[in-house]
């Protein structure tokens, strides 16, 4: 993994041909080092290992390489990926044009014919990189944690809390919390509109609100945490939440 400054890009590769596998991996490593981007590459040569990995980690990676030298295996992995991450970026490699046409409904982002053409492969990696940049800006919060860059999908964030010169990121689907150095003001400025700054110390994901407790002046989150709404921001936060729910239900 390269640890230059920048948002991390995660690549998953499944190629059964070991030579092609190592050649393509080397292309990605060289490219990301040249552009000084933090990266992680996970590699599988066995189909069973690839299927098991996708079952656990499909939502956490950015670029997926699927070997279609065996169409049934490649198609099964692409369908597994697409069902969980329809906005993701995946690459068809190792199959013929007729096989590619059969999987177009799964929206492959690129087609790699031969790995021995550096100019062509580098051009494709550059396109994939730009696609990841656009996706990350739209769907993930990126921050530095214990010296490494982390990316958390917005729909995995419950709320942010400011405490003792740290920000605490509370996850929505687990009890995990991440403590890192940042100002809540800075986070609030870059988050999508469905994040509501309801208190000097809290920024909530309105998708994760179970109810508004008007008596206690608090948002009750999906995990039953109560997030206080300040007196100064109560009317604004209440109106914003009610407008959000109307739009969501229309």
């Amino acid at each position: 993994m390269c640890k230059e400054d920048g948002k991390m890009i995660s690549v998953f590769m499944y190629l059964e041909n070991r030579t092609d596998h190592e050649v393509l991996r080397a292309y990605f490593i060289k490219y990301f080092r040249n552009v000084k981007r933090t990266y992680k590459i996970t590699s599988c040569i066995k189909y069973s290992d690839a299927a098991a990995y996708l079952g656990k980690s499909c939502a956490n990676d950015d670029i997926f390489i699927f070997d279609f030298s065996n169409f049934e295996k490649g198609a099964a992995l692409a369908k597994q990926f697409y069902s969980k991450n329809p906005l993701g970026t995946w690459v068809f490699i190792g199959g013929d044009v007729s096989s590619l046409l059969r999987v177009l409904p799964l929206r492959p982002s690129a087609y790699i014919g031969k790995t021995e053409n550096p100019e062509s492969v580098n051009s494709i990696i550059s396109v994939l990189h730009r696609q990841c940049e656009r996706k990350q800006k739209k769907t993930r919060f990126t921050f530095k944690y214990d010296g490494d860059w982390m990316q958390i999908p917005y729909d995995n964030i419950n709320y942010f809390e400011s405490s003792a010169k740290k920000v605490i990121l509370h996850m929505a689907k687990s009890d995990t919390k991440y403590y890192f150095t940042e100002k809540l003001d800075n986070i609030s400025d870059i988050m999508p509109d469905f994040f509501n700054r309801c208190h000097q110390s809290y920024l909530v994901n309105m998708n994760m609100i179970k109810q508004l407790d008007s008596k206690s002046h608090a948002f009750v989150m999906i995990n039953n945490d109560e997030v206080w709404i300040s007196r100064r921001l109560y009317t604004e936060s209440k109106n914003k939440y009610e407008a959000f729910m109307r739009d969501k239900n229309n």
Side-chain angles (χ1 to χ4, degrees):
M1 181 188 298
C2 173
K3 294 187 178 180
E4 302 289 345
D5 289 340
K7 300 175 183 178
M8 184 174 72
I9 294 180
S10 299
V11 180
F12 172 79
M13 295 174 51
Y14 161 66
L15 284 89
E16 293 194 347
N17 183 293
R18 189 176 296 273
T19 299
D20 287 341
H21 194 118
E22 293 304 320
V23 168
L24 189 59
R25 181 184 176 90
Y27 283 135
F28 272 99
I29 291 173
K30 183 176 181 180
Y31 174 86
F32 287 129
R33 285 178 175 172
N34 285 340
V35 298
K36 294 182 171 58
R37 296 313 306 268
T38 307
Y39 67 89
K40 179 181 75 172
I41 300 177
T42 302
S43 302
C44 287
I45 294 177
K46 294 182 179 179
Y47 170 78
S48 58
D49 291 341
Y53 180 86
L54 291 180
K56 295 180 180 179
S57 306
C58 188
N60 297 325
D61 293 332
D62 301 293
I63 299 171
F64 295 79
I65 314 294
F66 295 132
D67 183 356
F68 273 80
S69 56
N70 180 307
F71 180 83
E72 285 72 23
K73 290 181 179 179
L77 292 177
K79 289 177 182 177
Q80 182 180 357
F81 154 78
Y82 186 74
S83 67
K84 297 180 179 180
N85 190 353
L87 298 179
T89 297
W90 75 273
V91 178
F92 178 104
I93 186 171
D96 56 27
V97 175
S98 62
S99 296
L100 174 61
L101 294 175
R102 291 170 64 186
V103 295
L104 285 181
L106 299 180
R107 299 188 299 181
S109 298
Y111 165 66
I112 296 177
K114 297 181 178 180
T115 58
E116 60 265 26
N117 187 335
E119 184 175 346
S120 174
V121 175
N122 283 328
S123 177
I124 290 170
I125 294 175
S126 178
V127 171
L128 296 172
H129 178 199
R130 292 196 297 272
Q131 289 176 348
C132 290
E133 292 275 301
R134 291 193 293 269
K135 178 185 175 183
Q136 288 176 355
K137 289 179 180 179
K138 292 180 180 179
T139 63
R140 300 181 183 184
F141 173 66
T142 304
F143 62 106
K144 212 160 192 178
Y145 179 73
D146 283 349
D148 288 327
W149 287 99
M150 290 196 65
Q151 300 173 51
I152 305 292
Y154 293 145
D155 60 4
N156 285 351
I157 298 173
N158 200 11
Y159 61 95
F160 295 92
E161 177 184 0
S162 177
S163 176
K165 297 183 180 181
K166 292 280 188 178
V167 168
I168 308 168
L169 188 159
H170 296 258
M171 296 288 284
K173 301 175 183 178
S174 72
D175 294 330
T176 303
K177 301 175 185 178
Y178 293 99
Y179 294 74
F180 59 100
T181 303
E182 185 55 274
K183 293 182 179 179
L184 196 59
D185 287 343
N186 295 339
I187 297 174
S188 181
D189 287 343
I190 64 172
M191 297 304 281
D193 291 341
F194 53 83
F195 280 84
N196 186 339
R197 181 70 179 273
C198 60
H199 191 282
Q200 182 178 352
S201 298
Y202 295 106
L203 174 67
V204 299
N205 183 349
M206 290 191 289
N207 285 301
M208 302 301 161
I209 295 173
K210 184 161 66 174
Q211 71 177 84
L212 168 62
D213 187 335
S214 56
K215 292 183 179 179
S216 298
H217 282 201
F219 287 123
V220 181
M221 309 306 291
I222 59 170
N223 64 347
N224 293 320
D225 282 1
E226 290 190 355
V227 176
W228 304 116
I229 308 170
S230 71
R231 182 179 301 176
R232 179 176 63 87
L233 295 174
Y234 179 76
T235 299
E236 178 184 343
S237 294
K238 176 177 179 291
N239 291 342
K240 185 175 181 179
Y241 174 64
E242 290 177 345
F244 170 79
M245 292 303 296
R246 284 195 300 270
D247 291 342
K248 188 175 182 178
N249 292 323
N250 286 337

